[in-house]
């Protein structure tokens, strides 16, 4: 089961803030990324039906949530929300919080037992929210949001209040939601690593406007977006699939758009999607095929163009089977290598595997 | 000694609190969430009994509830009885003068609950009334307790308005406060002492209970 695309085109003015956002939430996890105060939470609240002043359109397949003629109240939309401050009902136990959602279910949804098992809530059912830790509270909030039978799950910085360790525990649970429960997720965050580790698509928001929308790999690999992403160092992101695992050497092969890359120390499942990131400063350019080294990933590359950028030279390369790759090297290296357009070289790279172990 | 006034007072206080909770809860919620200018006006109206002499309230209630008054008149047409000098009239009067003691704690409790839990309930599929009953009211539980106790205690303690509207009909409108006054007038100090000390002790323990419960309940736990 998978829910149809959610389409929205919204305008809201409040004081000197104005929101004007048009976009789509497709299957998988869509990250809504931007600085604090740019309107991410407001957009989420508009979709949920919590902002009565908003004008425009929201539709999901046949269902119209908002139009010039119609304004569906929050409780009739099948949009469920996990708030930054969790908002569990303080007077109800975990079990009662879950049952509250279950009783008011608006559509098909997973069973109570399944959700409790997936989110590991078995031992928390009789506790009040005040007796739960921060991470437990967000797991219960997540379970409650899934149980009310939504067709869209909105998440407003659900990890912001948690420490690093607890975030890493909850991220795989969030990552699993679209597939496990057939739910599209719109996920607000201002943390880049959450976008890279969790999301399939990303929307960049600035001053109440959606600037860019696209696949995470596409947006993070695009030089125009590095600045919008908060001054990102040059990099490319490739989406890959685990194709082989050599138990003898402990090496995993991930097929990417540039060709196969090998990694040590992963515990992957075959067919699993993994994303890799290659920072421009982790790319070493060589004229000849590299001699033996501890870096195990090398690719043939072709220079597409290069330009000076604040004391260093950024070289845009076409790697392996046609994937763009950036290298950041010194001017001295440019001269020593005799870099020129169209030149064929070899690149040694040190890619980083992203994502969360599920 | 005749304990009938005690019984009348307790009945009056209990009925008044029930009526005030029914009327005051929606009013308090509206005062807590409304952003309209009218809200200030209503807030001031609700607080009036706190500052007015009870004779002023009593006088106007007498006008309203009397057989020729805008409320007492129709009441007489329908029921054939008068509201003045009756238990029903005392209930109406008590509801008015105890209004702030119930509405204000409720309003403050709803304000501290805030809009957030109601929004959470709405996105889970709860209609507004459903969310109000299942989320806002339980979370404002301490406010309900405080409101009930203060409303009850204040109704027990009222004298002036009750005397003006209800007089002192034994078994109907003679409440403890009036019985004490009459005992003193007749120099029956023993009976006056007994009733006064009883009322004093009762009020003290009721208030003590409220403060004890308020202290034990963590803020936000709400019950």
């Amino acid at each position: 089961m998978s829910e149809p695309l959610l389409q929205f085109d919204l305008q809201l003015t409040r004081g000197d803030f104005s929101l004007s956002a048009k976009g789509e939430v497709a299957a998988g996890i869509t990250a809504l990324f931007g600085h604090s105060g740019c309107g991410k939470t407001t957009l989420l609240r508009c979709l949920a039906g919590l902002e009565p002043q908003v004008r425009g359109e929201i539709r999901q397949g046949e269902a119209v949530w908002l139009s010039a003629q119609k304004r569906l109240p929050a409780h009739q939309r099948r949009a469920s929300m996990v708030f930054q401050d969790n908002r569990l009902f303080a007077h109800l136990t975990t079990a009662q919080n879950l049952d509250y959602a279950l009783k008011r279910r608006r559509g098909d949804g997973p069973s109570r037992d399944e959700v409790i098992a997936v989110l590991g809530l078995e031992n928390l059912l009789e506790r009040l929210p005040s007796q739960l830790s921060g991470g437990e509270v967000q797991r219960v909030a997540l379970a409650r949001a899934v149980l009310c039978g939504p067709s869209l799950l909105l998440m407003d910085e659900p990890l912001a209040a948690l420490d690093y360790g607890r975030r890493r525990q909850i991220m795989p649970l969030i990552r699993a939601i679209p597939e496990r429960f057939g739910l599209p997720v719109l996920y607000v965050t201002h943390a880049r690593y959450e976008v890279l580790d969790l999301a399939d698509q990303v929307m960049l928001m600035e001053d109440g406007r959606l600037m860019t929308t696209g696949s995470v790999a596409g947006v993070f690999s695009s030089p125009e977006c590095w600045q919008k992403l908060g001054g990102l160092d040059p990099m490319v992101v490739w989406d890959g699939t685990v194709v082989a695992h050599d138990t003898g050497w402990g090496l995993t092969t991930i097929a990417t758009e540039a060709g196969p890359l090998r990694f040590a120390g992963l515990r992957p499942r075959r067919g699993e999607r993994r994303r890799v990131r290659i920072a421009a400063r982790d790319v070493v350019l060589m004229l000849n095929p590299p001699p033996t080294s501890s870096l195990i990933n090398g690719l043939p590359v072709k220079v597409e163009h290069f330009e000076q950028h604040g004391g260093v030279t950024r070289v845009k390369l076409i790697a392996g089977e046609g994937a763009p790759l950036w290298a950041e090297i010194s001017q001295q290296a440019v001269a020593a290598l005799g870099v020129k357009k169209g030149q064929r070289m070899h690149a040694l790279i040190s890619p980083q595997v992203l994502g969360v172990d599920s | 000694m005749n304990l009938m006034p005690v019984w009348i007072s307790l009945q009056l206080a209990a009925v008044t609190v029930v009526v005030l909770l029914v009327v005051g809860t929606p009013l308090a919620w509206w005062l807590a969430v409304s952003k309209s200018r009218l809200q200030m006006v209503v807030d001031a109206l609700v607080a009036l009994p706190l500052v007015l002499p009870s004779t002023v309230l009593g006088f106007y209630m007498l006008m309203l509830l009397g057989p020729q008054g805008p409320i007492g008149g129709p009441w007489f047409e329908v029921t054939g009885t008068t509201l003045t000098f009756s238990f029903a009239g005392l209930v109406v009067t008590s509801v008015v003068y105890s209004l702030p003691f119930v509405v204000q704690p409720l309003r403050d409790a709803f304000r501290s609950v805030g809009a957030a839990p109601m929004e959470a309930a709405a996105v889970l599929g709860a209609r507004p009334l459903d969310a109000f009953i299942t989320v806002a009211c339980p979370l404002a539980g301490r406010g309900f307790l405080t409101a009930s106790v203060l409303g009850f205690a204040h109704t027990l303690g009222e004298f002036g308005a009750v005397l003006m509207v209800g007089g002192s009909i034994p078994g109907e409108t003679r409440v403890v406060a009036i019985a004490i006054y009459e005992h003193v007038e007749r120099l029956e100090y023993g009976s006056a002492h007994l009733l006064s000390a009883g009322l004093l002790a009762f009020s003290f323990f009721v208030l003590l209970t409220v403060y004890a419960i308020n202290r034990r309940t963590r803020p936000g736990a709400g019950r």
Side-chain angles (χ1 to χ4, degrees), chain A residues 84-104:
Chain A
Q84 188 173 351
D85 53 353
N86 81 71
R87 302 198 187 177
L88 292 183
F89 300 134
H91 62 298
L92 301 179
T93 62
T94 297
Q96 289 167 330
N97 265 284
L98 299 183
D99 291 339
Y100 194 96
L102 206 55
K103 271 186 215 148
R104 289 159 181 82

Side-chain angles (χ1 to χ4, degrees), chain B residues 5 11-12 14 30 32 40 45 48 53 62 69 114 119 124 132 136 143 150 154 163 172 189 191 204 212-213 222:
Chain B
Q11 273 184 307
L12 177 63
W30 181 77
M40 286 185 304
L45 280 175
L48 270 182
L62 206 54
E119 289 183 353
L124 291 174
F132 178 69
L150 288 181
H154 186 253
L163 184 66
E172 174 82 17
Y189 282 11
S191 300
F204 175 72
I213 289 171

Side-chain angles (χ1 to χ4, degrees), chain A residues 45 48 50 74-75 79-81 83 87 89-91 100-101 104 106 128 130 144-145 148, chain B residues 116-117 119-128 130-131 134-135 138-139 218 220-221 223:
Chain A
R45 292 174 54 85
L50 298 175
H75 67 272
S80 159
M81 187 154 169
F83 298 87
R87 302 198 187 177
F89 300 134
H91 62 298
Y100 194 96
R104 289 159 181 82
R106 287 153 283 182
L128 286 170
S130 56
R144 192 178 69 167
C148 73
Chain B
E119 289 183 353
V123 297
L124 291 174
R127 296 164 169 281
D130 177 14
T134 55
V135 174
L139 286 175
R218 279 182 316 278
R223 59 177 191 179

Side-chain angles (χ1 to χ4, degrees), chain B residues 4-213:
Chain B
M4 193 54 149
V6 176
W7 176 233
I8 299 282
S9 275
L10 291 177
Q11 273 184 307
L12 177 63
V15 174
T16 301
V17 166
V18 170
V19 173
L20 271 177
L21 286 179
V22 173
V23 178
T25 303
L27 178 61
W29 174 255
W30 181 77
L31 286 173
V33 299
S34 171
K35 293 185 178 92
S36 96
R37 270 161 211 259
L38 200 60
Q39 181 251 338
M40 286 185 304
V41 178
V42 176
D43 245 339
L45 280 175
V46 167
L48 270 182
L50 292 174
V51 294
L52 284 178
S54 50
T55 45
V56 172
L57 269 180
F59 173 64
Y60 282 119
M61 291 311 289
L62 206 54
M63 296 289 103
L64 283 173
L65 303 184
Q68 271 84 50
I71 297 173
W75 176 276
F76 184 77
E77 306 264 304
V78 175
T79 64
T81 58
T82 59
L83 268 175
T84 42
F85 307 104
S86 74
F87 185 77
L90 278 197
V91 170
V92 176
T93 308
S94 304
V95 162
V96 172
Y97 69 63
S98 291
L99 190 69
F101 293 85
V102 171
V103 169
Q104 289 187 350
L106 282 181
R107 177 200 62 195
D108 296 345
F110 284 137
R111 257 185 211 154
S112 75
V113 169
M118 293 289 284
E119 289 183 353
V123 297
L124 291 174
R127 296 164 169 281
L129 184 63
D130 177 14
F132 178 69
I133 293 167
T134 55
V135 174
C137 285
L139 286 175
R142 282 195 307 166
F144 276 93
L145 183 74
T146 310
S148 306
V149 170
L150 288 181
F152 191 90
H154 186 253
T155 305
L156 280 189
E158 178 54 29
F159 173 71
V162 169
L163 184 66
M164 289 178 78
V165 173
S168 176
I169 301 164
E172 174 82 17
T173 64
R174 183 188 286 170
V175 296
V176 174
I178 288 165
I180 293 169
Y181 177 71
E182 291 182 344
H183 282 309
V184 174
E185 274 205 316
R186 289 191 227 114
L187 303 179
E188 294 160 359
Y189 282 11
S191 300
H193 256 312
L194 214 60
L195 286 179
S196 299
L199 203 57
L200 188 121
F202 178 79
S203 304
F204 175 72
F205 281 110
V206 161
L207 292 175
L208 194 65
T209 313
V210 173
Y211 289 125
I213 289 171

